[in-house]
Amino acid sequence: YQLTKLFKDKNLSEYKNFLWEGRRNGDRFLMIHRDVTYPELRQMRKFPILKLGTYKGGMIVIPQFQRELPFKNLARRTIGYENTEAAQKVYVGLEGSFSKNLQGTGGKRLMRRIGNAAWMPVDIENEVEPQNGDDIITTLDINLQDLAESALRKELSADSADHGCVIVMEVKTGFIKAIINLGKSPKGGYEEVFNYAIGESSEPGSTFKLASFLVGLEDGRISMDQPVNLGNGIMNYHGRSMTDAHKLTGTLLAHQVFEKSSNVGTSKLIYNAYVDDPQKYIDGLYRMSINLPQNLQIGGEGRPYIKNTKSKWWSAVSLPWMAIGYEVAITPLQLLTLYNAVANNGVMVKPLFVREIRKNGQVVQSFQPVVINPHICSAATIEKAHMLLEGVVERGTGTALKNPHYRVAGKTGTAQVAMNNKGYGQGTKAIKYKGSFVGYFPADHPRYSIIVVINNPSKGKYYGAAVAVPVFKEIADRIFANLHDVNNPPPQDTSRHLIPSANAGVQKDLEDAYAWLNIKAKP
């Protein structure tokens, strides 16, 4: 009666005959049901006879274990999985990288085959007891992960973009607090199908201009107030033309070239400074370690590609195009690590995904910040880099991030995406773009660095300022609202005012809260 009521796969007489037949046949073991869930098992342990236990009631349970994602699709690709049943074993994400820690040690028990496929224990006791696997404690903050995914998903949908990613890194430690990778699903919407943040090595475009300026400033070959004549906004290098997307013309100072993201201006600065010795420019890039893989705690890292003058792919136009982020390849995480080093006063730290390994609640291994490069450049150059990045938000292409509550430093980027051997396309309809923004905040006391990349938006807007900046702003605003220890003063005495004071946050959320409380408030 109880089995019929629980499983509903046989009626009362069918279960009764099934049990009696097993008894008449003298079967020592009888498989009552497969794939019983844990809640169902708890009920079975209360059934007549079976509640007497293994020896008196005869119930033998053969457990099977599988790992589950506790927060469903959040960070799904980073948490990863392993598939050992496939013809070729597949290991993905942290599950794959730390598989030996997680799986523990299997026990041993003498079994015998009954029937065609079933196995039953000869002795109920284990010959060797299994050992539980270790616990992996990640650096991820589930709240930041949730809000960052929401912001990215909303922008991807609005732009009908192909895919995108967001990474939030803690400046001092390199701990990854959130990492989101969303790509279009054949079923509609967006899913975590590939870890673009660590695996997609591609041309970054204008966000790479920071690296070029760092090299030129460090070598003393360019200066912040150096005048640059943009002419009519078109520059020809050995028969190949370069233009500025925003039709910049006339003369700008070097820091204005960076703030306005001038391709012509940046290429002229680097080309004129290094045309006689382009390898010195390459050496400067290598000096900052951006040509080296980061040997992450997670597999699948894309290799950075920063060619040198000895490469068979080096040409007369390589220097000016590398200066603006083409003919190089780098992953979003590798690029963020460079910007994070600038925020960290020149100290480049390795991105970390795992904080600790624990066994039975005790820490058996902890992962401390790892310094990749203690000085990517001099303190004087870092100070100038701070000014350049803050200038982008104060006066340049990132002014949408300017606000009275905290300061942001960063760089917008817009890159044409090469389509394998087909080049960058012909005509505006065939060209694919990638919009990005990478930076850190609060600018005067950096706590977090963030990169946002939106690939192939198809609703008419594709500049980094238009598609990536809004995502960065939403994430940064929400994070800053909880940073009470950094330039975010506590609420003042509002006893004489009708409107309650609130810390800096998302304006729309504040308006919704005031409306729900029936409080009249002005922005």
Side-chain angles (χ1 to χ4, degrees), residues 373-393:
N373 190 329
H375 307 286
I376 63 169
C377 56
S378 66
T381 299
I382 287 294
E383 185 177 354
K384 293 173 184 176
H386 291 166
M387 295 170 61
L388 289 172
L389 295 171
E390 291 173 30
V392 170
V393 176

Side-chain angles (χ1 to χ4, degrees), residues 201-206 240-242 263 305 307 313 315 317-318 320-329 414-434 455-456 462:
S201 186
S202 61
E203 294 172 314
S206 293
R240 185 178 176 185
S241 295
M242 179 184 295
N263 293 334
Y305 173 67
K307 64 185 176 183
W313 305 112
S315 72
V317 298
S318 290
W321 256 265
M322 288 180 69
I324 63 171
Y326 290 93
E327 296 196 22
V328 297
T414 306
Q416 293 185 20
V417 180
M419 294 173 281
N420 299 322
N421 61 346
K422 299 179 181 179
Y424 297 93
Q426 299 295 326
T428 56
K429 290 184 179 180
I431 298 175
K432 293 185 177 182
Y433 290 94
K434 175 173 64 178
N455 284 268
N456 196 26
Y462 53 84

Side-chain angles (χ1 to χ4, degrees), residues 13-26 30:
S13 60
E14 288 174 332
Y15 257 119
K16 183 176 181 180
N17 292 335
F18 169 69
L19 294 170
W20 272 115
E21 183 179 357
R23 178 73 170 180
R24 284 194 299 268
N25 293 337
L30 182 65

Side-chain angles (χ1 to χ4, degrees), residues 11 18 40 56-57 80 83 116 158 190 209 260 272 355 376 386 391 441 450 461 465 506 519:
N11 60 35
F18 169 69
E40 289 172 340
K56 294 184 178 180
N83 184 358
N116 293 328
Y190 292 87
K209 291 172 183 174
K260 303 296 183 182
N272 292 338
R355 185 193 303 269
I376 63 169
H386 291 166
F441 71 97
I450 302 176
K461 58 178 183 178
V506 178
I519 297 175

